[in-house]
Amino acid sequence: MSNDGFVPDYSRQTRLAAVGPEGQARLAASRVLVIGAGGLGCPVLAYLAGAGVGHIGIVDSDVLEASNLHRQTLYDAADIGQSKVLLAARRIRALNPSVDVACIDHALTAEEIVPLFASYDLILECTDDMRSRYLCSDAAVVTGKPVIFASVYQYEGQLHVYRPDQATPCMRCLWPQEPDPAQLGSCEISGVLGPAPGVLGTLQANEALKLLLDLPGKLANDLVLVDLTDLEMRRIRTRRAEHDCHAESELGLSARRSNEALERDFPSLQAAVLAGYQLVDLRERDEIEADPLQTQALWIPSGEVLDHAASFANSHWLLICARGARSRYAAERLREQGYTNVYSLRGGWTGMHMDAAATTP
């Protein structure tokens, strides 16, 4: 059935005294950027589009995998292997054709993120990548844009809103040192119960609408912890650290820009070997057994890389993990110790699989 001539019906929403026609017009004029179209991003995108947010930007570099479907509810089995950002945009347009959608199908760089943030009213960080969260926090501080963060681990999650107008704490206030991704886990490594990101993403969407509509009860100086095993929700009072957030964020963005050159793209691992790189597999033993590289590589678990720093004195080394987060972090730490011949495989071994699948006719 064609949706030509479809007129959105927001009557159930505009009946709310705090919304009304004026609030609906405010939503229609809003520009919201959603970074990540996965388990958190799916409910965020659906609820914002359904509410009538006028312009939604979507950032995601992944293609859909079968393992995503138990929690990423915008997609179905026929979509496997396709670009998530394009799939999400198609579903949003089908849900509400009045919404203008912009797609960015690559991970944001420190070079482009500040001007991009400056063109939006609100940002929602919906990835499971700690690097992305710090990058978004730094860009938000510099541009003065609010960001709603959420993260999920197995059966629980966290919600945190950075609001520059309220002098709330940024990521570097709460966690001054960016942690090693190997110590944090991810949905791929640690597992996740499907509804967990759905609940946290729904909370993100709720906070976004409260901000856009200037509703009462907006989250500011609290970190919200949600535990779905016992349905407990706790709020922890937070405060800004005694540092210059703007200066710290500028330094963070500058360091990102200098480190972005350490990532390398190759069509295959064989191509990397032919280019003169020695391969290092940073994954855990069970990851390797489940999905071997099928190419000879030195094995050093990511948590032990710095203990073997002297091994990287000669040759050119390409560090490999599942998605590129652990290898990038390890390469950054090794660069700090003077090993400038160490690089990270962009997107990791899984990303190389997905790129190959996307280009196979």
Side-chain angles (χ1 to χ4, degrees), residues 123-142:
I123 296 90
L124 290 92
E125 209 293 327
C126 300
T127 74
D128 62 354
D129 183 353
M130 185 60 76
R131 174 185 178 272
S132 174
R133 293 174 201 149
Y134 275 85
L135 183 61
C136 288
S137 176
D138 289 340
V141 171
V142 170

Side-chain angles (χ1 to χ4, degrees), residues 15-83:
R15 281 201 178 113
L16 294 169
V19 180
E22 181 180 341
Q24 196 61 52
R26 183 181 297 181
L27 291 179
S30 297
R31 296 174 56 85
V32 178
L33 182 66
V34 179
I35 302 175
L40 293 168
C42 282
V44 163
L45 290 166
Y47 280 120
L48 294 186
V53 170
H55 178 93
I56 298 177
I58 314 172
V59 180
D60 202 301
S61 61
D62 285 347
V63 299
L64 185 70
E65 301 176 66
S67 61
N68 300 149
L69 293 176
H70 86 295
R71 65 192 185 281
Q72 299 182 16
T73 54
L74 285 181
Y75 317 118
D76 56 50
D79 297 329
I80 292 170
Q82 298 183 56
S83 162

Side-chain angles (χ1 to χ4, degrees), residues 66 68 74-75 102 120 125 141 146 152 156 164 184 213 230 240 242 266 304 335 355 360:
N68 300 149
L74 285 181
Y75 317 118
Y120 283 89
E125 209 293 327
V141 171
V152 177
E156 58 191 49
L184 296 176
L213 293 166
D230 56 12
R240 288 186 61 174
E242 294 182 359
F266 293 99
E304 302 175 16
R335 289 288 184 99
D355 289 342
T360 299

Side-chain angles (χ1 to χ4, degrees), residues 65-195:
E65 301 176 66
S67 61
N68 300 149
L69 293 176
H70 86 295
R71 65 192 185 281
Q72 299 182 16
T73 54
L74 285 181
Y75 317 118
D76 56 50
D79 297 329
I80 292 170
Q82 298 183 56
S83 162
K84 281 187 190 176
V85 73
L86 296 180
L87 289 169
R90 186 172 70 196
R91 294 298 296 270
I92 286 174
R93 292 182 180 117
L95 171 66
N96 191 344
S98 70
V99 176
D100 180 40
V101 184
C103 299
I104 299 174
D105 63 355
H106 61 269
L108 295 179
T109 66
E111 197 68 41
E112 68 184 320
I113 194 169
V114 169
L116 180 66
F117 273 32
S119 66
Y120 283 89
D121 304 311
L122 173 65
I123 296 90
L124 290 92
E125 209 293 327
C126 300
T127 74
D128 62 354
D129 183 353
M130 185 60 76
R131 174 185 178 272
S132 174
R133 293 174 201 149
Y134 275 85
L135 183 61
C136 288
S137 176
D138 289 340
V141 171
V142 170
T143 58
K145 301 292 182 172
V147 182
I148 302 174
F149 297 93
S151 61
V152 177
Y153 179 77
Q154 295 187 340
Y155 310 96
E156 58 191 49
Q158 297 182 358
L159 182 70
H160 161 226
V161 179
Y162 168 69
R163 294 181 56 194
D165 62 325
Q166 298 289 320
T168 55
C170 67
M171 287 285 292
R172 296 186 185 278
C173 292
L174 299 178
W175 299 280
Q177 296 298 320
E178 185 174 340
D180 182 349
Q183 306 302 317
L184 296 176
S186 66
C187 293
E188 183 173 18
I189 297 171
S190 305
V192 63
L193 193 68

Side-chain angles (χ1 to χ4, degrees), residues 299-336:
W299 177 46
I300 304 176
S302 59
E304 302 175 16
V305 166
L306 296 184
D307 296 333
H308 297 270
S311 302
F312 300 98
N314 300 307
S315 189
H316 284 76
W317 299 89
L318 184 67
L319 309 185
I320 304 165
C321 66
R323 297 277 181 175
R326 286 172 285 172
S327 58
R328 185 175 53 236
Y329 181 88
E332 290 173 353
R333 301 292 80 76
L334 288 166
R335 289 288 184 99
E336 290 172 357

Side-chain angles (χ1 to χ4, degrees), residues 228-355:
L228 296 179
T229 57
D230 56 12
L231 297 181
E232 181 181 24
M233 182 179 292
R234 292 187 295 145
R235 295 170 69 124
I236 299 176
R237 179 66 62 175
T238 61
R239 60 187 178 87
R240 288 186 61 174
E242 294 182 359
H243 65 212
D244 184 340
C245 291
H246 196 282
E248 292 280 346
S249 296
E250 287 280 14
L251 285 173
L253 288 169
S254 177
R256 293 291 186 202
R257 294 185 188 109
S258 63
N259 281 334
E260 279 167 1
L262 59 77
E263 292 189 294
R264 290 289 184 266
D265 289 299
F266 293 99
S268 67
L269 295 182
Q270 290 76 14
V273 172
L274 289 174
Y277 288 85
Q278 302 290 322
L279 308 182
V280 185
D281 194 338
L282 303 185
R283 298 175 298 162
E284 299 301 318
R285 186 183 299 276
D286 60 335
E287 294 178 88
I288 295 172
E289 290 174 351
D291 189 12
L293 295 183
Q294 301 173 346
T295 302
Q296 185 174 0
L298 177 65
W299 177 46
I300 304 176
S302 59
E304 302 175 16
V305 166
L306 296 184
D307 296 333
H308 297 270
S311 302
F312 300 98
N314 300 307
S315 189
H316 284 76
W317 299 89
L318 184 67
L319 309 185
I320 304 165
C321 66
R323 297 277 181 175
R326 286 172 285 172
S327 58
R328 185 175 53 236
Y329 181 88
E332 290 173 353
R333 301 292 80 76
L334 288 166
R335 289 288 184 99
E336 290 172 357
Q337 296 192 19
Y339 299 98
T340 57
N341 53 344
V342 178
Y343 299 85
S344 168
L345 177 65
R346 191 189 311 274
W349 176 232
T350 302
M352 183 171 281
H353 277 324
M354 292 190 297
D355 289 342

